[in-house]
Amino acid sequence: MLSIPGDNPRTPDVQVGPVDLAARVDEALAVQALAFGLSDDEIEVRRHIVLRHLMYPGCRALGATTPEGRLVGFVYGLPNDRAHWWSSVVEPYLRSAGTDSWLDDTFVITELHVHPGFQARGIGRALITTLTDGAAQPRSILSAIDVESPARRLYRMLGYEDLARRVLFPSAPKPYAVMGAHLPLRRP
């Protein structure tokens, strides 16, 4: 467990460690909905996706919890498989950019979200670095909305670089960037 101290009573200490994400999927999706602006319909669709991902070989999850046990952040990922839906969508974009080899021997960060009231405290950094430190693969890959944002800045600080941009996922209203980094991730 990694402890992140709180800086005021509204943001108490947070512990980062393993979490049974299947048992806490509704809590996790509530955090994602706040952080990502999801509708109730989108949450329900994602619930089934998360539960399916958690059954894939090598999938691991971490949570960030307050001393009272409230989940305020989570991350999960798994070894990439070109047969998975995400890989099939991003592969043509990566091939076009000459970076499709990043789909092999790579650990995918599938979701990373922190409750808005707990952002900018190092929780996201702790979640992603702790998760990837346990990966057997030499590289990590992820997708993020293709705009300059705190998330993209964090990923760059950790060593992620753009592999493809303007990636369009079915039913996603905004384009994404696919980013990759060699492991272990950089530390500040």
Side-chain angles (χ1 to χ4, degrees), residues 134-148:
Q137 296 73 22
R139 304 180 295 184
S140 175
I141 193 169
L142 56 80
S143 55
I145 295 177
D146 195 3
V147 296
E148 289 312 307

Side-chain angles (χ1 to χ4, degrees), residues 171-182:
S171 77
K174 298 176 184 174
Y176 279 70
V178 176
M179 303 176 78
H182 293 279

